[in-house]
Amino acid sequence: DAGHESSSTGGAGVLNELVVECFLNEPDKKYFLCHTPSLPTVIAYFGLRLPDVHADEVLRAIVDLKERQLRDSDAEYRVHETAQEGDVTMQESVSHVLHAPWPFADRDILQHRWQLPLDGVAGGRAIVLQSFEDAALFAGNPERVRATVHLSANLIRPFSSAIADKVPGLDLAV
């Protein structure tokens, strides 16, 4: 295929079918997909090196409701349950309605979201998301497709962890 590299791994059973596709592999930008053609699951990796951005700015852009709405005004984004005081994982329940162009159906998703410190990385955070179902919290809509995220994470790693709040620069992996 033009524009990307592909490779398969050896091994037994499904691992014989494992395909890793590289769509972008530059020093400050990387994008890979890993999948097995016989299964519906795809693992995606997108990495960015952002030398002029502070970690708290990225965290705010990802988790703050008003920031999300500014950045993606066409998507409906809602926090259903906020983190309980004292919860070190900061577990929340969030939903998204993603509007798709015709002829595709809109998607909706309900997820738990956790904000976790990265061990050994001052100022580093992992924002972890996983789908769950709760019709009382966010009922499905027959006109939309309910998307499922088995596990997703945004890893924010400042370049200089000792002074992460004062000096810009970070690696972001999604």
Side-chain angles (χ1 to χ4, degrees):
D1 293 324
H4 71 277
E5 302 169 24
S6 181
S7 66
S8 295
T9 64
V14 172
L15 287 180
N16 280 334
E17 302 177 44
L18 187 63
V19 177
V20 177
E21 296 180 89
C22 174
F23 292 93
L24 183 64
N25 191 6
E26 297 177 10
D28 59 347
K29 298 177 274 232
K30 299 181 184 314
Y31 179 47
F32 295 88
L33 293 179
C34 181
H35 62 93
T36 301
S38 63
L39 298 173
T41 303
V42 175
I43 298 169
Y45 169 82
F46 186 69
L48 289 173
R49 183 158 266 250
L50 303 168
D52 299 326
V53 179
H54 287 86
D56 62 332
E57 294 171 324
V58 173
L59 180 65
R60 196 171 43 255
I62 294 171
V63 302
D64 183 81
L65 177 62
K66 290 178 183 172
E67 291 286 332
R68 294 284 306 233
Q69 290 169 333
L70 283 172
R71 188 176 74 249
D72 193 3
S73 60
D74 290 336
E76 299 169 33
Y77 181 79
R78 184 171 167 206
V79 177
H80 296 272
E81 297 174 327
T82 59
Q84 299 293 315
E85 188 173 330
D87 178 4
V88 296
T89 69
M90 299 179 67
Q91 179 178 310
E92 299 176 303
S93 299
V94 298
S95 67
H96 309 264
V97 175
L98 306 165
H99 299 288
W102 183 89
F104 302 102
D106 291 348
R107 306 307 197 242
D108 62 30
I109 188 165
L110 177 64
Q111 298 175 299
H112 285 303
R113 177 176 68 197
W114 299 273
Q115 296 180 49
L116 309 167
L118 294 178
D119 285 344
V121 182
R125 303 291 289 176
I127 298 108
V128 180
L129 300 120
Q130 185 174 42
S131 292
F132 74 102
E133 290 295 327
D134 185 334
L137 200 58
F138 186 64
N141 180 327
E143 295 180 10
R144 296 190 297 242
V145 173
R146 177 57 60 103
T148 301
V149 172
H150 296 286
L151 190 61
S152 174
N154 298 277
L155 304 177
I156 303 168
R157 294 185 190 105
F159 292 165
S160 178
S161 59
I163 50 174
D165 59 336
K166 296 175 181 52
V167 176
L170 61 97
D171 288 313
L172 174 64
V174 179

